[in-house]
């Protein structure tokens, strides 16, 4: 079975010579929720931004469903949905205009578009606000809108940077349900999080990055063993100091 996301020897150095990520390799298979964990500054967002094609990199290769992010960027973007940790949305359009724009971008037909918008907007409790300008939305509502936009084309790869920050408990519950539903349909999810108990319950696999290097990667059962993910993370942090 071919990986939906394959990162091989990825490295990124910033202009001052600081190596943000060094020789990182991992893969995410169809149907898999893969958690990406590390301190602030460990290299998570740098890796994620390279995966979704918004940041160039120095070495290695990133493939999405067998397509090179560098050589076939448009194909890769058509297969991917990306939610950054602080979604920057257009303020002066309405929520429904934003969702229709996203559906148009990914050629989602009218029937599927309407069904999916209704389903996800109802789940996240923002249906009544879709006619309002995005500028009137709270941070949490903007995050919900961005998530709905990402789900509309049922991407093969969903990449999320700290998706649970700013969500109320009910929305977080529904997001976990949707993530699992997408994976059950054959998609793959790669997401960073600081919320270790959520990662432990939700993820099939987990990778821990420390100072730009991958230090632990594997199935959740193997990585945490008889302890908890938090125990493993704290041990890694202490050992790597």
């Amino acid at each position: 079975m071919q990986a939906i996301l394959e990162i091989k020897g990825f490295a990124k150095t910033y202009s001052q010579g600081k190596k943000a990520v060094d020789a990182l390799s991992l893969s995410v298979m169809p149907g898999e929720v893969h958690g990406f964990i590390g301190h602030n500054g460990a290299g998570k967002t740098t890796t994620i931004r390279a995966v979704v094609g918004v940041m160039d990199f120095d070495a290695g290769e990133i493939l999405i469903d067998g397509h090179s992010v560098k050589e076939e960027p448009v194909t890769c973007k058509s297969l991917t949905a990306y939610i950054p940790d602080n979604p920057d949305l257009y303020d002066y359009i309405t929520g429904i205009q934003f969702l229709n724009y996203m559906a148009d971008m990914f050629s989602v037909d009218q029937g599927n578009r309407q069904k999916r918008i209704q389903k996800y907007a109802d789940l996240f409790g923002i249906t009544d606000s879709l006619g309002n300008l995005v500028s009137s939305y709270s941070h949490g509502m903007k995050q919900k809108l961005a998530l709905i936009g990402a789900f509309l084309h049922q991407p093969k790869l969903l990449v999320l940077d700290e998706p649970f920050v700013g969500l109320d408990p009910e929305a977080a519950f529904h997001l976990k349900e949707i993530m699992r539903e997408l994976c059950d349909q054959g998609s793959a999810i790669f997401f960073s999080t600081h919320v270790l108990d959520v990662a432990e319950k939700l993820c099939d696999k987990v990778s821990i990055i420390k100072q730009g290097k991958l230090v632990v990667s594997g199935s959740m059962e193997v990585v945490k063993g008889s302890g908890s993910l938090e125990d493993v993370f704290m041990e890694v942090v202490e050992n790597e100091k």
Side-chain angles (χ1 to χ4, degrees):
M1 187 186 294
Q2 177 175 271
I4 287 187
L5 171 62
E6 190 162 7
I7 304 173
K8 303 177 182 177
F10 166 67
K12 172 67 179 179
T13 304
Y14 288 113
S15 53
Q16 307 90 328
K18 172 176 164 38
K19 194 158 246 184
V21 182
D22 186 13
L24 184 144
S25 297
L26 61 82
S27 60
V28 186
M29 303 302 291
E32 188 175 289
V33 179
H34 195 120
F36 194 40
I37 296 165
H39 278 318
N40 288 340
K44 301 189 304 297
T45 296
T46 295
T47 303
I48 282 173
R49 286 169 63 82
V51 165
V52 299
V54 298
M55 177 181 283
D56 200 5
F57 50 99
D58 312 317
E61 190 172 23
I62 299 175
L63 303 175
I64 295 175
D65 204 29
H67 301 278
S68 165
V69 166
K70 280 193 170 180
E71 304 299 325
E72 304 169 87
V74 175
T75 300
C76 288
K77 284 185 171 72
S78 73
L79 298 169
T80 306
Y82 167 50
I83 303 290
D85 58 347
N86 190 19
D88 191 13
L89 307 181
Y90 302 107
D91 275 347
Y92 299 107
I93 60 174
T94 64
I96 192 65
Q97 285 173 327
F98 170 77
L99 294 178
N100 278 315
Y101 168 73
M102 293 298 291
D104 288 343
M105 287 276 288
F106 291 98
S107 303
V108 181
D109 65 72
Q110 284 294 332
N112 280 318
R113 164 186 321 207
Q114 288 171 0
K115 277 191 298 187
R116 291 170 191 166
I117 288 173
Q118 183 169 1
K119 173 184 174 180
Y120 296 129
D122 285 351
L123 268 180
F124 282 132
I126 66 166
T127 302
D128 291 343
S129 302
L130 290 181
N132 300 339
L133 288 177
V134 172
S135 58
S136 70
Y137 284 25
S138 66
H139 174 75
M141 287 172 68
K142 286 181 180 177
Q143 193 165 352
K144 292 172 185 178
L145 188 69
L147 285 165
I148 296 167
F151 300 145
L152 289 182
H153 70 289
Q154 298 191 318
K156 278 210 160 183
L157 175 66
L158 184 60
V159 182
L160 307 166
D161 198 355
E162 296 290 349
F164 295 99
V165 174
L167 288 183
D168 56 78
E170 186 180 0
F173 173 81
H174 289 308
L175 174 57
K176 287 180 273 187
E177 280 191 323
I178 295 165
M179 289 167 74
R180 182 49 66 191
E181 180 185 85
L182 285 171
C183 284
D184 288 346
Q185 294 167 2
S187 297
I189 293 172
F190 183 57
F191 80 105
S192 72
T193 184
H194 284 111
V195 190
L196 298 183
D197 57 338
V198 168
E200 185 171 335
K201 291 171 185 164
L202 185 61
C203 295
D204 305 301
K205 289 192 178 174
V206 65
S207 296
I208 300 176
I209 187 173
K210 167 78 176 178
Q211 295 177 346
K213 289 182 179 288
L214 196 65
V215 290
V216 176
S217 187
S219 72
M220 184 61 72
E221 290 74 18
V222 170
V223 167
K224 75 185 184 74
S226 60
S228 70
L229 183 58
E230 187 175 47
D231 294 336
V232 174
F233 181 71
M234 293 310 297
E235 186 180 335
V236 165
V237 168
E238 292 301 318
N239 288 347
E240 293 292 318
K241 280 181 179 175

